[in-house]
Amino acid sequence: APELLYLLTTYVPTKLVARLACTCAFLNDALCGEDGTEGMRAAAVAAAAAAGSSAAPLAFHPAAGYKDPAGLEGLRLHGLLSLSSAREYVDAFLHKTTNSFDRASGLEIVPMKGLAYDSYAGLEAAAVTWIELSEVEGGGDSFVIDFTFRPETIAEFLAAGPLATVRSALAKVEVHNDEEEEWDSLKFRLCFEPSHLTAPTTELTGQAAIDAYAAAAEEPPQPPAEGELAQHRLVFQLVGGKTASQVYMLSFHTVHPDYQVHVKVGDHRMPKFASRETFHRWHPLFASLEHSASPRVRMLIRVKPDGSGPLGDMCGCC
């Protein structure tokens, strides 16, 4: 029965489903037609409901492995996409992914468990991001990171009011310095802090950015105006930046269908970087965290040397 066939597809990668569809006309019609797409989607929804969405997401893109640098062997998209649309997603992702384990110009999925997709809109937002990334010139390394939070932590934060703060789990990327033949570890946390207690950080680069950050830290915070809606500011905590072999410029871009945030950091050595964007209690970003069983803010992070050379060749004040 087709229902049993669709149920079985929930346990195998999209690559195998596509191969199965090529074996005979009956299976091609059953898997590639509109009924097949809806049938596999319904089976994936049923499997996710039975196992829990975090244990069985509707679609999944695993992290890279030694023999699978793009994570395509275990790619499972047919719970949300038709097989033809899954091919378009793969093409968009591969446009910026190298075919070897050398990640110098590729896109790396950082979460060890890979990227889980719970909706068609979320999967579409990722595909659009891959396409936009393929059009970017200038080199550098690109990473996809999930800044994760505990559900109970988000619940406490949203219930605590405008003076509350919250921090994500620590995320790390590895960047290779080709000139020095060294690997640099860059670590980040995503925080939300009261906007009237945290001034936005300048987007200057180099030592000018460090000086501006120090000057801003000495300025007294400005309280919100009377009757003004309380807001929280998105803040990046940059951990261990001074141990890198060179200075990196960073850019952070959210990957979500309901909101877009873009933040540029001119010097990764700043311990904290506060964005200009602020978010009120009912912003789609907070709504997505509040209603998710696995709260996360998914971001594309681009890392590029600023061109100033190895830190060892700079003066002692750097």
Side-chain angles (χ1 to χ4, degrees):
E3 291 75 13
L4 178 59
L5 173 65
Y6 299 145
L7 179 61
L8 292 175
T9 63
T10 63
Y11 300 99
V12 298
T14 297
K15 184 176 181 178
L16 294 183
V17 176
R19 288 178 177 175
L20 183 63
C22 296
T23 56
C24 68
F26 172 78
L27 289 176
N28 186 275
D29 291 339
L31 297 173
C32 295
E34 292 185 5
D35 292 342
T37 299
E38 292 301 323
M40 290 188 289
R41 187 173 300 169
V45 170
S53 59
S54 60
L58 297 181
F60 180 72
H61 191 157
Y66 179 73
K67 295 184 179 180
D68 184 22
L72 300 183
E73 293 298 326
L75 185 67
R76 184 159 44 84
L77 301 179
H78 52 279
L80 288 173
L81 298 179
S82 66
L83 292 181
S84 60
S85 296
R87 173 61 184 270
E88 295 176 0
Y89 173 97
V90 171
D91 289 344
F93 185 83
L94 287 179
H95 203 112
K96 279 295 281 189
T97 301
T98 56
N99 293 320
S100 67
F101 204 58
D102 179 11
R103 300 170 295 182
S105 61
L107 172 60
E108 180 185 352
I109 295 175
V110 174
M112 185 176 298
K113 295 182 179 180
L115 302 178
Y117 298 107
D118 299 320
S119 68
Y120 174 84
L123 184 53
E124 183 181 42
V128 170
T129 301
W130 311 158
I131 293 173
E132 292 176 345
L133 181 61
S134 69
E135 299 171 352
V136 174
E137 299 179 355
D141 292 270
S142 299
F143 306 88
V144 187
I145 283 183
D146 282 344
F147 290 101
T148 58
F149 304 82
R150 293 178 179 271
E152 56 270 23
T153 301
I154 290 297
E156 293 174 1
F157 165 69
L158 294 176
L163 296 181
T165 61
V166 68
R167 300 190 306 169
S168 74
L170 192 68
K172 182 179 73 170
V173 302
E174 299 281 345
V175 184
H176 189 254
N177 183 340
D178 295 331
E179 294 184 0
E180 298 294 315
E181 292 296 330
E182 294 184 32
W183 286 94
D184 290 329
S185 296
L186 307 181
K187 302 176 183 179
F188 316 100
R189 289 187 193 274
L190 182 64
C191 314
F192 292 100
E193 301 180 358
S195 60
H196 67 281
L197 299 179
T198 308
T201 309
T202 176
E203 294 184 357
L204 296 173
T205 60
Q207 188 60 36
I210 302 296
D211 296 339
Y213 172 82
E218 298 177 358
E219 297 180 1
Q222 300 297 321
E226 184 177 355
E228 183 180 349
L229 186 64
Q231 306 263 354
H232 280 81
R233 191 178 305 281
L234 187 151
V235 178
F236 291 100
Q237 183 181 3
L238 313 177
V239 182
K242 294 183 179 179
T243 61
S245 62
Q246 60 184 338
V247 178
Y248 293 98
M249 300 181 293
L250 311 171
S251 63
F252 298 83
H253 312 267
T254 55
V255 183
H256 197 278
D258 296 330
Y259 59 84
Q260 291 188 0
V261 180
H262 306 280
V263 180
K264 293 183 179 180
V265 180
D267 191 320
H268 81 281
R269 295 173 297 172
M270 287 184 288
K272 291 178 68 176
F273 189 94
S275 72
R276 297 185 180 276
E277 291 83 356
T278 58
F279 308 90
H280 55 74
R281 169 66 177 79
W282 297 276
H283 190 278
L285 190 154
F286 284 155
S288 69
L289 293 175
E290 181 179 16
H291 300 300
S292 174
S294 303
R296 62 175 179 258
V297 176
R298 180 164 294 166
M299 285 194 164
L300 169 70
I301 301 180
R302 300 188 63 232
V303 182
K304 184 179 180 181
D306 73 343
S308 59
L311 285 176
D313 295 338
M314 296 182 179
C315 61
C317 65
C318 297

